[in-house]
Amino acid sequence: MSLPDWRDSSFGSMSRAALWLEAEVGEGGIFTKTELRNAFTDVAQIDRRLRALRDYGWQIDTRRDDPTLKLDEQRYVKKGAEVWIPGQAKAATKQKASITATQRSKTMLQDNYLCRSCGIGAGESYGDGGAAAQLDIARRHVLLPEGAEETQLVTECNRCRVGGHSQEVDLQLLLQDVKALSGIEKAALAGWIEADRRERGALERLWGRYRTLPAESRVALATAVNEDLAQEG
């Protein structure tokens, strides 16, 4: 079945934007705001009409969602409801409500303005010469112990967000793993949770230095450690 012409002004501007994506861009395609505005010179605020499609299941990523995009680029990822068909726009339900400024500020404050996946802060360098980290709010699907599923907000950097759109956390499984820890391990975990950070101990730092050694030096260090153990035993 052929699509209606996106130039047909008898359709609403949101429907025309959807048809333009299908006809001119295609799923997976990249377009710019300039290209969009040039196509709809007769429509005011076409950017807003395009964004409204997200409420009907259309996935349109920006650089915030996909750091590989340039600042003025967007990617048409997935088609949603066929809003140009009478009744479809009304029947479609919003996939997810927009995150408010209050929710955004509260979540970042609770997360100490750090990415909860990698620990980087806003404006910090990843150490690879690329762009500095930018923080945003991601939705995380959490399976609660009683079996219900809940969507919770978490702070993530732009890099971690790319691969975390469908990430899900099983809180019950995590609680079971915690209960299986020894008393010493639980105490260490409790300290990390209270401080909201984990410092590498002297033993871990030594292990990291050991792993950088050439084979001969690793053998020498292993021999020395075993000799000390034998003497202490």
Side-chain angles (χ1 to χ4, degrees), residues 158-176:
N158 47 352
R159 291 193 180 182
C160 291
R161 271 175 56 84
V162 173
H165 288 299
S166 60
Q167 187 173 341
E168 186 175 80
V169 177
D170 189 332
L171 188 57
Q172 179 62 33
L173 184 60
L174 183 58
L175 289 171
Q176 291 174 358

Side-chain angles (χ1 to χ4, degrees), residues 8-206:
D8 187 345
S9 59
S10 66
F11 289 99
S13 52
M14 184 179 71
S15 296
R16 290 178 61 194
L19 289 166
W20 179 79
L21 286 176
E22 281 287 278
E24 304 296 333
V25 181
E27 289 192 6
I30 294 174
F31 63 95
T32 65
K33 289 184 178 180
T34 300
E35 291 171 339
L36 175 66
R37 290 168 182 169
N38 287 342
F40 293 92
T41 56
D42 60 326
V43 179
Q45 297 183 322
I46 187 61
D47 308 59
R48 181 179 295 181
R49 305 296 181 267
L50 187 79
R51 288 196 299 270
L53 287 170
R54 295 190 176 103
D55 292 339
Y56 299 94
W58 292 68
Q59 183 178 344
I60 305 165
D61 286 356
T62 64
R63 190 167 184 262
R64 189 174 66 180
D65 306 300
D66 182 353
T68 64
L69 294 172
K70 295 179 181 178
L71 193 60
D72 64 335
E73 290 180 335
Q74 298 183 60
R75 189 191 304 277
Y76 169 32
V77 179
K78 187 180 67 173
K79 173 185 170 185
E82 297 179 337
V83 293
W84 56 86
I85 298 176
Q88 286 296 303
K90 292 182 179 179
T93 56
K94 294 187 177 184
Q95 298 300 304
K96 48 188 177 182
S98 298
I99 298 172
T100 66
T102 300
Q103 289 175 311
R104 192 179 301 276
S105 298
K106 180 181 178 181
T107 302
M108 286 195 176
L109 180 62
Q110 290 174 332
D111 292 340
N112 293 321
Y113 298 94
L114 297 173
C115 172
R116 303 310 296 183
S117 294
C118 71
I120 200 167
E124 293 182 353
S125 171
Y126 289 101
D128 58 5
Q134 298 177 9
L135 298 182
D136 205 347
I137 304 303
R139 292 177 171 86
R140 183 77 74 251
H141 298 296
V142 179
L143 295 176
L144 301 176
E146 62 271 19
E149 182 174 327
E150 183 175 279
T151 299
Q152 299 177 359
L153 301 180
V154 64
T155 305
E156 279 191 330
C157 70
N158 47 352
R159 291 193 180 182
C160 291
R161 271 175 56 84
V162 173
H165 288 299
S166 60
Q167 187 173 341
E168 186 175 80
V169 177
D170 189 332
L171 188 57
Q172 179 62 33
L173 184 60
L174 183 58
L175 289 171
Q176 291 174 358
D177 290 341
V178 169
K179 288 182 178 180
L181 296 175
S182 67
I184 294 177
E185 290 171 325
K186 287 180 181 176
L189 178 61
W192 297 340
I193 291 172
E194 182 178 1
D196 198 29
R197 63 184 301 173
R198 173 177 176 254
E199 296 286 355
R200 295 177 65 200
L203 189 60
E204 289 178 300
R205 291 195 293 271
L206 284 172

